[in-house]
């Protein structure tokens, strides 16, 4: 199962959701891989900290190395799993991001390498029970590659008016991609992040989405400073604060996704 977490709007919670769901998956004994396709490398930093650039040149790192070899000789290509790194957490693995991703993006696009991630995932499939893909806040070569490679897409929504406005365009982009490249891609739903039940606006925005028929997932994620602490400590919530309210909502979300998502729709 390959799940991509995508929203072209920045700061909605893609990285937090990718890494925390993946960490819960790993803590439950599933061999889980996170793929960091964002040149910002936030998932990479969250799970393994700074990468030693001297030891691992940017062009050989993780996902950049994987893509780069697709423009080279076929006989020299390594197995995609050789670009995967261990993390300090049991059962949790990472295909790290690299600054080199921006440098090679134009070349990969010009050489039609958009299906290469899908080919790589087909090879990684037998090694991992779950694959989670973090994407950049753009509809660019890497996020398109992820949407083509994945079987499911989760869309984080941070209860903000700008995020609300960009949802239509986002849904059109996903539909176009499904139609042109990946009819198997299932929109699992919209994950409500940073929900504050005390404030008026988040409730109103979520009710609007539901009344317009957007597939909102029942398990909401609340807003908590624990998330920032978790990034700072480089420990996903399940390891940092297993009984915290936000961790518990993440566990509930994970469980809902594993069972097959329950969505609120307009009746
Ligand atoms: N549930 C939450 N409660 C409080 N803060 C949160 C929560 N989820 C995410 N954040 C904070 O919101 C900010 C953006 O989160 P995150 O980096 O996960 O978003 P993103 O969509 O990956 O951003 P980008 O588009 O830049 O990659 C971070 O500072 C993070 O700590
Ligand atoms: Mg991010």
């Amino acid at each position: 199962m390959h799940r991509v977490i995508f929203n072209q709007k920045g700061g909605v919670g893609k990285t937090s959701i990718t890494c925390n769901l993946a960490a819960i998956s790993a803590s439950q004994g599933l061999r889980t891989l996170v793929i960091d396709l964002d040149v910002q490398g936030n998932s990479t930093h969250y799970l393994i900290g700074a990468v030693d650039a001297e030891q691992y040149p940017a062009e050989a790192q993780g996902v950049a190395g994987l893509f780069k070899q697709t423009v080279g000789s076929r006989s020299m290509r390594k197995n995609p799993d050789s670009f995967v790194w261990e993390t300090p957490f049991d059962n949790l693995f990472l295909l790290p991001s690299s600054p080199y991703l921006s440098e090679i993006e134009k070349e990969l696009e010009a050489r039609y390498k958009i299906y290469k991630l899908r080919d790589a995932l087909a090879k990684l499939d037998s090694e991992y029970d779950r694959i989670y893909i973090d994407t950049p806040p753009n509809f660019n070569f890497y996020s398109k590659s992820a949407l083509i490679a994945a079987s499911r897409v989760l869309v984080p929504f941070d209860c903000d008016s700008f995020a609300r406005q960009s949802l239509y365009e986002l849904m059109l982009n996903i539909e176009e991609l499904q139609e042109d490249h990946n009819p198997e891609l299932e929109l699992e739903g919209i994950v409500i992040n940073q929900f504050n039940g005390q404030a008026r606006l988040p409730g109103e925005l979520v009710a609007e989405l539901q009344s317009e028929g957007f597939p909102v997932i029942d398990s909401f994620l609340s807003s908590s400073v624990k998330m920032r602490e978790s990034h700072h400590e480089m420990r996903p919530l399940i390891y940092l604060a297993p009984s915290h309210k936000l961790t518990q909502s993440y566990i509930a979300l994970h469980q809902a996704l594993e069972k097959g998502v329950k969505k609120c729709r307009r009746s």
Side-chain angles (χ1 to χ4, degrees), residues 15 38 42 134:
T15 298
D38 185 359
N42 291 341
D134 188 15

Side-chain angles (χ1 to χ4, degrees), residues 9-16 18 36 38 40-43 134-137:
K9 183 174 179 292
V12 292
K14 295 178 287 295
T15 298
S16 306
T18 303
D36 187 357
D38 185 359
Q40 297 180 96
N42 291 341
S43 282
D134 188 15
T135 51

Side-chain angles (χ1 to χ4, degrees), residues 7-17 38 40 42 134-137 156 193-195 221-229 231 246 250:
N7 189 327
Q8 54 216 46
K9 183 174 179 292
V12 292
K14 295 178 287 295
T15 298
S16 306
I17 291 170
D38 185 359
Q40 297 180 96
N42 291 341
D134 188 15
T135 51
N193 188 33
Q194 301 218 40
F195 186 76
L221 300 171
S222 52
S223 182
S224 166
V225 290
K226 255 305 171 239
M227 184 54 84
R228 278 168 206 261
E229 262 178 63
H231 289 179
L246 181 55
Y250 261 107

Side-chain angles (χ1 to χ4, degrees), residues 180-199:
D180 294 347
H181 302 281
N182 187 5
E184 309 288 307
L185 180 68
E186 182 198 334
L187 170 62
E188 277 187 297
I190 295 175
V191 179
I192 305 298
N193 188 33
Q194 301 218 40
F195 186 76
N196 175 358
Q198 310 296 329

